[in-house]
Amino acid sequence: MRRAALALLALGACQSADVEPRAASRLPSTYDALIAPLLAERCTGCHGAERAKGGLRLHTPEAIRAGGSTAPAFVSGDAEASELVRRLALPLADEEHMPPGDKPQLDPLERALLSGWIRAGAPFEGRVEALHASQSLERHPNPPAPIAPAPAASLAALRAALVHVQPIAQGSNGLWIDFAAIALKTDDALVRSLLEPLKGQVVELALARSHVGADTLALCAEFEHLERLDLRDTRLDDAGLAKLGAHAKLRELVLARSAITAASIPTLLALPKLERVFVWGCALSVDDLAQLRGRTDLLVDAGDKPDAVLAELEPPPKFTNELPSPDAPPPGDPTASINTTCPITGSPVNAKYTRTFEGRVIGFCCPNCPAEFDKDPAACAAKVISAVEAKPKTP
Amino acid sequence: MDPLSQHHLSLTRRRFFSRAASGLGAGLGALSLASILGGERARGASSELPVGPHFAPKAKRVIYMHMEGGPSHLDLYDYKPELRRRFNQDLPDSIRKGQRLTTMTSGQARFPIAPSVFRFSRCENHTGGVWLSELLPHTQQIANELCFLHSMETEAINHEPGITFFQTGAQVAGRPSFGSWLSYGLGSANANLPTFAVMISQGQGNMQALAARFWGSGFLPSEHQGCKLRSSGDPVLYLKDPPGVARLDRRRMLDLVGALDEIERRESLDDEIDARIAQAEMAYRMQMSVPELADFSDEDEATLEMYGPDVRKPGSFAANCLLARRLAERGVRFIQLYMRGWDQHGGLPAEIKLQTQAVDQGQAALIKDLRRRGLLDETLVLWGGEFGRTVYSQGTLTETNYGRDHHPRAFTVWAAGGGIRGGISYGKTDDYGYNIVENPLSVHDLHATLLHVLGFDHERLSYRHQGRDYRLTDTSGRVVRELLA
């Protein structure tokens, strides 16, 4: 249920973002978009509407401000002094650590998110842009769905033609359509006959390796929700691509090994939402690519990404065994015995029982053995020293 | 009891209501679309509709390169220069911690440290660079695309349970393979090819058996099992029509058999008949699509050259990498490549050189080729064995030769592509590459994270069997956010 709530929140966030993407004031607050979903996922099972362990509820701004029975949940502006952050940072085994050790934990990014929000004054309204900057902090929103359901007959026709069609996510009417299975037999007429009734639903369309051209692109221009279009390995040319016009939503365009040339640069630059374009294998010169790359919000992949830089090569390896073992007693400890087994019984040495002979410490296993040693110290010490020196330092 | 009555009895009340319920709920969102999509199923389409991604996926398919035998992380990816100054020292007890060993080395009198004989280079990435062995010159070039996971751990110490664990999320045989879960969850994107394809390349050294159950569908409907493409002769056996049978004859025969099957299905209500019809229809379509798939003549010279000279030998790892790309661009969901022969208990330096020569150029070319075609963004690539290898030598250690035993406690795998943050190193091992000291990553965590980028909440992708819901991640697993793009 909590997950469902999360999904709804994320969905709400997205829809409002869709209404006026450019107006910051209409974007969801940091609390709504990031903090509340996190608390809902990890905390409110025990600290929420239904339960209030330790008197703490975290499901509404009012409840969070009220804090728990022993301390307030946070100190505005001071993450380190905040009980919430302190509890999260305690060792897992600590009784006060939250969430309890057997429950799913917050990962470092999520902890950083909470700290960052408190440091920014724990605002329930407005946005702390820095926290939104890292994409991986954003919850995976379900795609917004102002999309009408597709006509059943059209979907059936696609499937009968062996064209792959699938909702882009559960709960969405947006469609991912892939012509891979019949690509070699796919032309403009077929695409039009199958997709004309689905203009309002296509979000991702793959026509790679097919024979489509200008007419299909003219049709695509009418797909109001189209975000990704794959035209790899087609004979699509500049005139064809131009039919796309200034499509308002298209984010990714795959044109690798198509017939487009420099004449398509204005078309590509005119697509307002375009984020990535793949143009490997097209007739574009280095200058043409530079012109495309002049648009800084556009990632142009032309198959010319340089290899990773080899920053350093280690010298040819030489083998020694000079490093001491981490298990060896620290060198130069004057109180450490030179032997590891008791010269009297052969049992391991106990550091408590030693005698010093000519500056060297000899260890024994029990309180009785030093007495034996005292009967003839020189002979016993010689035995120990010769045994120790006979043993190689490293095997 | 006759099989028919037995089958009728197996339609329990619970099963009836659970099926009826999914029909009743069909007023809402995904369910309505799903039921419409299913309303008029193309003949021979899957008998159960895919679950569909829970949220919009970053990756639409997987290429999983499994290195059978357990490649040595210490000679490839996990750079431990200090070990060179501990040559032939005994592995300290404080590192070994009395942990379980295989019987192949548990009787050894000593556990002498065997530093890698190979030179490493630092390749730039987004986390201060990653050190890679000279054995992987081509992989070094794509280091800025790869996400190195240096802190993998597994519970299995032998090959069979180890591979089974990575493939199915459990050490004991019988669960569905990762590819089968994806086939079940996402369905096919190309009705003319198998949803889950398997290809095997032979290696150089010790080779362990690869059982077909590694790509089996377990308790999932059988159409989700992997389809093995053969490396020589026809990629798929018995696909060609026998001499004298024309394609039209084949069509007529299938129509007749299909009609008979349909009668049988109505009588017996046996779902397996659907799978049978689906497979016969797919085989018919594959007769056309497979020869075109396996024919490299439409690849340009530069591309073939990028994959290396082996690409012209069918069944080589390079050839299978190119075939994997061709399958990926034709919409196959899960492409499982196996490279056999990484089980280097003795003579490791010589053997691993041959193994890496066989995989390095092909795997690097695959990543580059996917990238420039716009496929890497939506293809998840995974490379790894079932465990790593020990820092101590199995058998005699010299300055130029050593062996390594199985080591499940820490090893390296890498991922790349759709939804995964490229160019980073995650997790750390101790100075001996023996224990994990930072960010341990279990097989369940890896599966949970991969399912996440494929659009699934791993806790909700489940299948009811023997009275309980099963998942790929069993009862464990955590999505590792740091790895997401």
Side-chain angles (χ1 to χ4, degrees):
Chain A
M1 209 203 79
R2 270 187 283 154
R3 289 194 179 276
L6 186 69
L8 279 176
L9 274 169
L11 192 62
C14 253
Q15 272 170 340
S16 54
D18 237 28
V19 177
E20 278 210 45
R22 303 248 176 238
S25 59
R26 300 294 295 274
L27 290 174
S29 69
T30 298
Y31 171 76
D32 283 338
L34 299 176
I35 304 299
L38 176 59
L39 295 175
E41 188 174 353
R42 298 287 183 225
C43 313
T44 58
C46 296
H47 305 286
E50 284 154 31
R51 301 167 74 189
K53 288 195 157 184
L56 179 66
R57 296 181 195 269
L58 295 169
H59 64 304
T60 63
E62 297 70 39
I64 296 170
R65 284 197 198 97
S69 46
T70 55
F74 65 89
V75 179
S76 178
D78 190 348
E80 281 64 40
S82 296
E83 187 67 3
L84 200 63
V85 174
R86 187 185 75 84
R87 295 274 190 132
L88 290 172
L90 286 172
L92 197 60
D94 194 297
E95 208 166 68
E96 294 197 324
H97 174 88
M98 284 292 147
D102 57 338
K103 295 281 186 331
Q105 298 295 310
L106 281 75
D107 65 33
L109 284 172
E110 291 172 331
R111 288 207 298 269
L113 173 63
L114 271 183
S115 305
W117 178 66
I118 293 174
R119 218 167 278 132
F124 292 96
E125 309 290 333
R127 282 166 74 86
V128 186
E129 284 302 333
L131 298 179
H132 292 264
S134 168
Q135 249 195 333
S136 52
L137 288 180
E138 299 277 2
R139 293 291 186 258
H140 275 268
N142 276 313
I147 299 178
S154 313
L155 294 174
L158 276 178
R159 288 176 64 90
L162 297 178
V163 175
H164 175 68
V165 54
Q166 181 169 342
I168 52 172
Q170 276 182 9
S172 171
N173 288 314
L175 297 176
W176 166 37
I177 295 176
D178 191 337
F179 279 74
I182 55 163
L184 303 180
K185 289 184 260 170
T186 298
D187 57 16
D188 284 335
L190 180 70
V191 173
R192 186 167 280 280
S193 70
L194 289 171
L195 298 188
E196 181 109 57
L198 295 169
K199 275 180 194 167
Q201 284 79 30
V202 182
V203 175
E204 295 197 19
L205 177 59
L207 291 162
R209 303 166 54 245
S210 70
H211 305 288
V212 299
D215 186 50
T216 293
L217 272 288
L219 181 67
C220 289
E222 299 175 44
F223 295 166
E224 55 174 323
H225 296 292
L226 186 67
E227 293 187 16
R228 190 178 203 276
L229 181 57
D230 188 345
L231 295 160
R232 168 176 42 88
D233 276 310
T234 59
R235 268 164 263 161
L236 182 77
D237 56 17
D238 299 317
L241 188 67
K243 299 276 188 205
L244 206 48
H247 193 285
K249 283 226 172 153
L250 196 66
R251 289 187 301 108
E252 273 194 39
L253 189 51
V254 184
L255 298 168
R257 307 216 315 163
S258 68
I260 65 142
T261 69
S264 279
I265 293 175
T267 314
L268 294 172
L269 293 177
L271 288 162
K273 284 287 184 75
L274 196 64
E275 293 167 11
R276 304 195 79 157
V277 61
F278 294 87
V279 291
W280 170 68
C282 299
L284 291 172
S285 69
V286 177
D287 290 342
D288 299 336
L289 292 174
Q291 196 187 339
L292 270 180
R293 284 172 178 148
R295 182 172 155 184
T296 49
D297 61 344
L298 180 63
L299 208 147
V300 181
D301 195 324
D304 57 351
K305 188 172 170 182
D307 290 341
V309 176
L310 286 191
E312 217 178 315
L313 173 66
E314 72 164 348
K318 265 189 236 144
F319 298 130
T320 65
N321 53 17
E322 70 206 18
L323 281 186
S325 164
D327 289 352
D333 178 359
T335 62
S337 59
I338 58 169
N339 56 329
T340 52
T341 54
C342 177
I344 313 297
T345 63
S347 302
V349 161
N350 184 329
K352 277 199 269 185
Y353 313 112
T354 56
R355 284 285 185 275
T356 304
F357 183 80
E358 290 178 354
R360 297 197 231 208
V361 180
I362 293 163
F364 303 93
C365 64
C366 64
N368 301 329
C369 292
E372 285 294 313
F373 173 85
D374 290 340
K375 288 177 187 166
D376 188 354
C380 193
K383 193 171 122 193
V384 172
I385 289 160
S386 67
V388 168
E389 280 171 1
K391 202 165 149 192
K393 273 195 182 128
T394 44
Chain B
M1 190 186 285
D2 86 283
L4 188 56
S5 342
Q6 197 174 11
H7 187 73
H8 284 156
L9 286 175
S10 74
L11 276 178
T12 61
R13 176 183 161 278
R14 179 173 300 176
R15 196 161 165 209
F16 174 77
F17 279 116
S18 72
R19 295 210 163 179
S22 60
L24 285 174
L28 299 159
L31 283 173
S32 69
L33 181 56
S35 56
I36 290 165
L37 287 175
E40 283 178 56
R41 240 170 34 212
R43 181 171 46 179
S46 160
S47 61
E48 284 194 35
L49 281 160
V51 180
H54 296 134
F55 36 82
K58 293 280 173 71
K60 296 193 175 108
R61 66 189 80 86
V62 176
I63 298 176
Y64 180 3
M65 299 185 258
H66 184 91
M67 302 293 127
E68 174 272 308
S72 166
H73 56 298
L74 295 162
D75 294 283
L76 300 176
Y77 303 116
D78 205 359
Y79 177 54
K80 299 293 171 190
E82 289 296 279
L83 289 180
R84 308 263 165 70
R85 294 162 68 199
R86 297 184 187 280
F87 175 73
N88 202 17
Q89 288 184 5
D90 283 320
L91 180 64
D93 289 340
S94 56
I95 300 297
R96 167 131 144 65
K97 294 177 180 161
Q99 289 155 0
R100 173 175 67 155
L101 303 178
T102 76
T103 49
M104 288 169 281
T105 52
S106 59
Q108 277 188 197
R110 291 186 56 222
F111 299 105
I113 288 168
S116 178
V117 296
F118 299 105
R119 280 171 87 177
F120 280 65
S121 294
R122 188 164 64 85
C123 309
E124 276 182 5
N125 70 0
H126 302 314
T127 52
V130 57
W131 286 87
L132 296 179
S133 159
E134 63 182 327
L135 291 168
L136 300 166
H138 293 92
T139 308
Q140 286 177 350
Q141 296 170 359
I142 51 157
N144 50 5
E145 294 285 344
L146 309 183
C147 172
F148 286 97
L149 310 171
H150 292 298
S151 52
M152 269 314 295
E153 57 182 348
T154 177
E155 292 158 23
I157 200 166
N158 273 315
H159 301 285
E160 275 276 309
I163 301 173
T164 308
F165 194 24
F166 263 95
Q167 301 272 269
T168 72
Q171 289 188 60
V172 178
R175 303 273 180 92
S177 189
F178 194 168
S180 301
W181 277 112
L182 201 63
S183 167
Y184 163 68
L186 287 177
S188 172
N190 183 339
N192 292 349
L193 289 171
T195 316
F196 175 13
V198 180
M199 288 175 283
I200 299 173
S201 304
Q202 307 301 330
Q204 305 292 335
N206 267 345
M207 289 194 270
Q208 301 292 334
L210 283 176
R213 61 173 173 74
F214 290 148
W215 51 92
S217 54
F219 42 71
L220 291 176
S222 24
E223 71 248 28
H224 299 301
Q225 66 187 288
C227 171
K228 192 171 111 182
L229 302 184
R230 295 161 54 88
S231 52
S232 57
D234 295 338
V236 181
L237 276 185
Y238 314 123
L239 200 56
K240 276 196 190 134
D241 290 323
V245 176
R247 195 157 164 81
L248 187 62
D249 296 336
R250 166 73 67 178
R251 183 67 262 166
R252 286 186 182 135
M253 188 202 81
L254 279 176
D255 287 344
L256 180 62
V257 172
L260 291 172
D261 280 344
E262 189 58 31
I263 295 169
E264 175 66 17
R265 195 182 65 85
R266 256 182 258 137
E267 294 266 316
S268 69
L269 303 176
D270 187 348
D271 290 341
E272 285 294 308
I273 292 176
D274 278 339
R276 189 73 198 80
I277 299 175
Q279 277 156 2
E281 287 293 333
M282 185 192 284
Y284 175 74
R285 295 192 303 266
M286 277 168 67
Q287 289 183 324
M288 299 297 278
S289 55
V290 167
E292 187 262 340
L293 164 80
D295 177 8
F296 290 175
S297 61
D298 60 344
E299 296 289 338
D300 58 59
E301 269 311 303
T303 301
L304 292 173
E305 203 172 293
M306 182 166 78
Y307 282 84
D310 281 358
V311 80
R312 292 171 208 275
K313 288 181 220 152
S316 70
F317 191 74
N320 282 349
C321 280
L322 180 54
L323 202 49
R325 192 217 81 212
R326 295 173 68 90
L327 284 164
E329 64 184 340
R330 283 162 178 76
V332 172
R333 287 290 186 194
F334 200 101
I335 301 146
Q336 175 83 56
L337 301 185
Y338 289 99
M339 177 67 190
R340 302 179 67 196
W342 291 90
D343 193 22
Q344 291 130 4
H345 287 280
L348 183 140
E351 277 188 17
I352 202 170
K353 216 177 262 180
L354 296 172
Q355 285 290 113
T356 46
Q357 271 167 16
V359 301
D360 179 47
Q361 191 167 358
Q363 71 196 24
L366 175 60
I367 298 284
K368 288 183 183 177
D369 206 7
L370 289 173
R371 184 177 67 200
R372 66 189 189 178
R373 284 169 198 267
L375 288 160
L376 188 61
D377 274 1
E378 35 176 48
T379 306
L380 179 62
V381 184
L382 182 68
W383 190 104
E386 60 268 30
F387 34 62
R389 304 202 82 84
T390 55
V391 66
Y392 65 79
S393 177
Q394 172 171 359
T396 313
L397 168 67
T398 69
E399 292 220 350
T400 53
N401 198 11
Y402 47 87
R404 298 191 193 277
D405 198 3
H406 309 165
H407 186 66
R409 303 197 61 87
F411 56 105
T412 302
V413 305
W414 57 256
I420 293 290
R421 191 182 293 180
I424 65 164
S425 311
Y426 179 82
K428 246 191 212 146
T429 56
D430 62 19
D431 292 345
Y432 296 82
Y434 202 88
N435 299 298
I436 295 165
V437 294
E438 209 173 86
N439 293 326
L441 195 65
S442 74
V443 176
H444 297 306
D445 295 340
L446 182 70
H447 285 157
T449 309
L450 299 184
L451 282 177
H452 180 88
V453 302
L454 290 159
F456 290 100
D457 174 350
H458 69 102
E459 293 182 354
R460 286 195 288 150
L461 182 64
S462 65
Y463 193 84
R464 178 142 291 213
H465 172 63
Q466 291 183 337
R468 78 129 153 139
D469 289 332
Y470 282 87
R471 309 184 337 223
L472 175 61
T473 50
D474 202 13
T475 57
S476 186
R478 167 183 73 95
V479 175
V480 185
R481 287 263 167 76
E482 292 97 313
L483 307 183
L484 305 179

